[in-house]
Amino acid sequence: MSKKYAIGVDYGTQSGRAVLVDLTNGHEIADHVTPYPHGVIDERLPGSGKPLGHDWALQHPDDYLEVLRRSVPAVLREAGISPQDVIGLGIDFTACTMLPIDEQGTPLCFKPEWRDHPHGWVKLWKHHAAQEEADRLNAIAADRGERFLPRYGGKISSEWMIAKVWQILNEAPEVYEATDRFTEATDWVISQLTGAFVRNSCTAGYKSIWHKREGYPSPGFFGALDPRMANLTETKLRGDIVPLGTKAGELTPEMAALTGLAAGTAVAVGNVDAHAAVPAVGVVTEGKLVMAMGTSICHMLLGTEEVEVEGMCGVVEDGIIPGYLGYEAGQSAVGDIFEWFVEEGVPAYVKEAAEREGVGVHQWLTDRASRYKPGQTGLIALDWWNGNRSVLVDTNLTGVVVGYSLLTKPEELYRTLLEATAFGTRTIIDAFHGSGVPVREVYACGGLPQRNPLLMQIYADVTNREIKVADSKQTPAVGAAMFGAVAAGSAKGGYDSIVDAARAMARVREETFKPIPENVAVYERLYREYRELHDYFGRGANDVMKRLKTLKDEASHSS
Ligand SMILES: Nc1ncnc2c1ncn2[C@@H]1O[C@H](COP(=O)(O)OP(=O)(O)O)[C@@H](O)[C@H]1O
Ligand SMILES: O=C(CO)[C@@H](O)[C@@H](O)COP(=O)(O)O
């Protein structure tokens, strides 16, 4: 039998990438990135130019198909293998990235009548304009003593499905009416590949409040939110919910023509980027925290008991690896904060110097920032540039920097932002560990560990834990390919379980980031300062951030 391969397609925030993987050892034979032609749509709708509200973030569904059109043929070409030898295809996606579709599965924004309506488009995971709905949902769920709430750290995020659906109903009942189903983008892409619609248990569990044993919350709960939503789960959220690794179907002839793959190739059900990364670093047992570090960070951890952890995104049975409770927490902005600083915060002389030296601005700042010792900048920041996902679960929180002086340099501020995100991660680790979900080992994957060793050293020092790094450029995509191989099964040259696939294919680098004791000691003191500020601004002692947001909204609406 000739050598067999699988393809994983990772749909990130700004781009999608395909990776062709050798099934015997997980080696990435070829990869290709397609930047989304429309990027993140957060100012104006394509075409009509209609302005979007504050905190909106949309995407164009055709960008997802563009990734299939460009990146899949590109990896096949680069690898020079026969499409027949690709036995499985898996995808992973940002989540909750959701869209309204009609009876035929067509996104509403593809239809002329809805193209110019902002609610007809894909709402990206970081669309934060449903915070009001999330707040009301949480208050009603708490009042009713809903059992699901503790499984989501006590709060449902405005990033997740129900808050977003409710925002559509409140602001555009006509779009809600015209929607046949609301779907995660990951399930929509799979339905395009296979011609059949199934929902995956991972996004259903983490993002749509679905439970393997209890199903969705009751119609009574949804009716208490809004009587018009009482039957939401049997209608617009209907669809079979199947476990990760299940074969969703086979590649249709149309999609075979579009991708260059063979019709009939096994396609796995959709998955989430961070969750797919876990088996790709070989984590299939409890106690090992995996950080998927990029635009945001998702913290994934397996446990054997269901316990309540403050502000976690969720705990879902079989949500990551079958047989375990999968815990997820996260930070809504990490790389995004560094990017904001590079784009909006550095003086021209930094950009010019970086250009002269032939390095990127991130690298220029990182080189200079690494010359400082912990504590030497005299600065500390709260990492809430895109709200706080865990442990406070509040998208209305914003960023803070304390300690500026006339001598503060851009590289000091950059280092402070790196440190602030590490303190955010430490807060999450402490929450897990303190609640009885042990964190014995830490693994990192995603774009950031590849690009910024200083950042990784700071994380090791702040968390006082050794960090192992994925030996893969595209870990979620490799994980998605592994699930594709499981969908194909061993009879076709794949694997019968994700644990078998991980055993053969997962890879981490030999060198690790180890905590440096003198740094750990200083960061321990800085972390105490961080927690003081965190609780002061984040737990209601001073709601200045929210008052400022209100003033901002009032001023924007009156102009
Ligand atoms: N050298 C660097 N240091 C720190 N952050 C970086 C560096 N280069 C790029 N970034 C950040 O990495 C993020 C993208 O991460 P990546 O993992 O590639 O994407 P995604 O999260 O969309 O999958 C961007 O937010 C960018 O600001
Ligand atoms: O929230 C999740 C997963 O649950 C992520 O998809 C989201 O944070 C986006 O991840 P990226 O930072 O784009 O990798």
Side-chain angles (χ1 to χ4, degrees):
M1 198 160 69
S2 56
K3 207 162 184 179
K4 298 299 176 202
Y5 304 87
I7 289 181
V9 182
D10 167 48
Y11 287 96
T13 299
Q14 291 165 350
S15 59
R17 63 220 81 172
V19 173
L20 188 138
V21 183
D22 182 333
L23 288 184
T24 53
N25 54 21
H27 285 155
E28 290 152 63
I29 308 297
D31 65 64
H32 183 271
V33 180
T34 301
Y36 297 139
H38 298 87
V40 175
I41 304 166
D42 51 12
E43 289 180 0
R44 291 179 180 280
L45 274 193
S48 67
K50 209 173 216 173
L52 299 174
H54 184 58
D55 281 342
W56 276 63
L58 307 180
Q59 283 190 327
H60 196 317
D62 191 60
D63 290 356
Y64 307 146
L65 302 179
E66 186 65 11
V67 174
L68 297 175
R69 277 184 214 114
R70 287 172 54 187
S71 289
V72 177
V75 292
L76 280 173
R77 252 193 326 271
E78 188 188 333
I81 59 156
S82 158
Q84 304 298 335
D85 290 330
V86 177
I87 58 157
L89 175 66
I91 71 166
D92 66 82
F93 234 101
T94 64
C96 165
T97 295
M98 55 80 77
L99 66 155
I101 56 175
D102 71 7
E103 292 79 357
Q104 281 71 47
T106 307
L108 291 201
C109 64
F110 281 0
K111 301 168 73 133
E113 62 272 36
W114 298 114
R115 191 172 297 148
D116 298 340
H117 200 308
H119 281 296
W121 290 71
V122 175
K123 287 191 170 56
L124 182 60
W125 64 274
K126 64 177 177 172
H127 173 91
H128 279 167
Q131 186 62 48
E132 234 175 87
E133 282 78 6
D135 291 343
R136 277 160 62 198
L137 185 158
N138 287 322
I140 292 169
D143 255 14
R144 291 172 53 92
E146 291 288 344
R147 278 166 20 142
F148 66 78
L149 215 45
R151 286 203 294 268
Y152 296 91
K155 278 189 192 167
I156 300 297
S157 163
S158 70
E159 289 183 5
W160 306 158
M161 180 68 93
I162 307 303
K164 283 172 167 159
V165 167
W166 199 8
Q167 188 200 359
I168 296 175
L169 177 60
N170 283 332
E171 296 178 10
E174 66 284 12
V175 172
Y176 184 88
E177 261 322 297
T179 299
D180 182 51
R181 298 184 213 231
F182 293 104
T183 169
E184 286 278 349
T186 194
D187 292 332
W188 180 73
V189 169
I190 293 298
S191 73
Q192 298 303 293
L193 288 165
T194 62
F197 184 84
V198 283
R199 296 183 190 270
N200 75 87
S201 60
C202 177
T203 49
Y206 287 101
K207 315 297 177 182
S208 294
I209 329 186
W210 176 82
H211 189 265
K212 187 178 164 185
R213 293 158 210 275
E214 296 173 14
Y216 286 113
S218 64
F221 166 70
F222 283 103
L225 299 185
D226 188 315
R228 294 170 297 172
M229 286 209 298
N231 62 358
L232 175 70
T233 63
E234 303 110 70
T235 56
K236 295 170 200 282
L237 287 183
R238 74 185 186 282
D240 288 343
I241 298 174
V242 298
L244 294 178
T246 306
K247 182 172 153 183
E250 296 182 347
L251 201 64
T252 62
E254 300 76 49
M255 279 291 159
L258 183 133
T259 57
L261 290 168
T265 304
V267 179
V269 293
N271 202 341
V272 180
D273 45 12
H275 302 63
V278 174
V281 293
V283 169
V284 290
T285 51
E286 61 172 321
K288 300 170 181 181
L289 181 93
V290 179
M291 303 188 290
M293 305 177 72
T295 307
S296 61
I297 296 185
C298 294
H299 303 79
M300 320 298 301
L301 183 62
L302 303 177
T304 48
E305 277 167 50
E306 190 175 294
V307 300
E308 199 176 325
V309 181
E310 188 199 7
M312 66 176 164
C313 304
V315 51
V316 175
E317 189 177 345
D318 304 338
I320 304 173
I321 300 292
Y324 286 97
L325 290 142
Y327 287 85
E328 178 183 358
Q331 290 165 265
S332 299
V334 176
D336 244 4
I337 304 182
F338 315 146
E339 182 161 297
W340 164 83
F341 185 61
V342 164
E343 298 289 327
E344 308 289 344
V346 294
Y349 81 81
V350 169
K351 295 193 176 170
E352 286 155 15
E355 207 171 308
R356 263 198 317 277
E357 291 171 32
V359 297
V361 176
H362 281 291
Q363 198 187 322
W364 193 93
L365 289 165
T366 303
D367 287 347
R368 267 66 186 176
S370 62
R371 298 174 197 166
Y372 287 78
K373 289 198 292 233
Q376 203 183 347
T377 62
L379 298 169
I380 192 160
L382 290 174
D383 51 317
W384 301 341
W385 264 245
N386 195 12
N388 177 291
R389 194 188 281 176
S390 300
V391 298
L392 299 168
V393 201
D394 191 342
T395 55
N396 280 329
L397 296 172
T398 50
V400 174
V401 181
V402 176
Y404 276 122
S405 81
L406 291 175
L407 298 177
T408 301
K409 295 272 179 225
E411 56 267 34
E412 291 180 277
L413 194 48
Y414 189 77
R415 182 176 178 114
T416 302
L417 296 176
L418 303 184
E419 291 170 344
T421 66
F423 292 137
T425 280
R426 165 81 186 266
T427 307
I428 288 167
I429 291 181
D430 284 1
F432 276 128
H433 212 72
S435 308
V437 192
V439 179
R440 297 194 195 93
E441 290 180 31
V442 179
Y443 291 70
C445 62
L448 297 186
Q450 315 279 343
R451 298 189 185 113
N452 200 319
L454 172 65
L455 178 77
M456 298 315 297
Q457 186 58 51
I458 291 173
Y459 272 59
D461 293 338
V462 166
T463 61
N464 195 16
R465 283 172 160 87
E466 183 177 2
I467 301 178
K468 301 189 171 86
V469 177
D471 188 16
S472 156
K473 281 197 290 174
Q474 314 283 5
T475 318
V478 172
M482 287 163 65
F483 279 103
V486 174
S490 61
K492 291 261 169 70
Y495 294 97
D496 288 332
S497 76
I498 193 65
V499 176
D500 291 349
R503 201 170 292 128
M505 296 170 69
R507 291 178 307 121
V508 285
R509 282 194 221 150
E510 266 184 30
E511 71 277 18
T512 60
F513 290 91
K514 297 187 184 60
I516 299 167
E518 52 272 33
N519 293 355
V520 172
V522 179
Y523 279 134
E524 202 52 49
R525 289 167 60 194
L526 278 170
Y527 177 61
R528 283 204 289 276
E529 300 295 346
Y530 174 91
R531 287 304 294 255
E532 286 267 326
L533 292 172
H534 175 278
D535 291 354
Y536 177 69
F537 285 110
R539 295 193 195 273
N542 186 339
D543 278 336
V544 57
M545 293 165 184
K546 292 177 186 180
R547 291 193 294 275
L548 290 174
K549 264 205 163 177
T550 307
L551 276 173
K552 182 186 161 111
D553 286 347
E554 284 168 11
S556 317
H557 287 127
S558 67
S559 58

